[in-house]
Amino acid sequence: MRGSLLLLSALLLLESTVEMKEYQLGQPETNKIIDKAIKAANERHGKTKHLDFDSILSSNYDKRMLNVLLKPTTCDKTEPFVHRKECKIRNATPQVSCIECRGEITCFLLKEQEKIKQNVSNCLNPPKRSHIAGGVNLLAQTAEDEQQTGCLGCI
């Protein structure tokens, strides 16, 4: 009895780790990002086979960064480019890494490791911005195409 309980616990643990690779990660926002990555990767790198979600390579939800791996499948490339459960993932080329950083998606072939690392690094540690002369400031606020000047307390 004790052995079968231990076996059942091990199977449940194994099943929960397998589910982390599955598309439905339980977070609708993550699935939206994955859908955007599938569309971008298929448009740019998809040849004859459909590229689909394989796994999350890295993430930083505080800095709004998600890096996903997409691989070719057994299915032919067809529109719309969405996750297709019926397609089996293959370990063939092209394999694509898509990085979503603050709403922007960029996709690179997995063999372009330097570009991927640079993009992830720029997302996690954005360059400091200095003041741009003539740029927007608090003293020149716009409201529906009408410029207002003066201090915020004076308006």
Side-chain angles (χ1 to χ4, degrees), residues 45-62:
H45 299 289
K47 293 182 178 159
T48 58
K49 295 297 181 183
H50 174 70
L51 296 173
D52 211 338
F53 172 75
D54 180 66
S55 61
I56 293 176
L57 296 173
S58 61
S59 63
N60 186 321
Y61 293 103
D62 292 336

Side-chain angles (χ1 to χ4, degrees), residues 8 14 24 31 53 55 88 98 102 119 121 129 149-150:
L8 180 62
L14 179 62
Q24 297 294 338
N31 289 347
F53 172 75
S55 61
K88 300 285 183 224
C98 289
R102 295 180 203 89
N119 205 312
S121 177
R129 293 187 180 186
T149 58

Side-chain angles (χ1 to χ4, degrees), residues 107-125:
C107 296
F108 301 101
L109 294 173
L110 196 57
K111 64 184 178 184
E112 299 176 288
Q113 285 296 310
E114 283 303 313
K115 289 181 181 178
I116 294 168
K117 288 177 186 174
Q118 184 67 38
N119 205 312
V120 169
S121 177
N122 287 345
C123 183
L124 295 176
N125 305 306

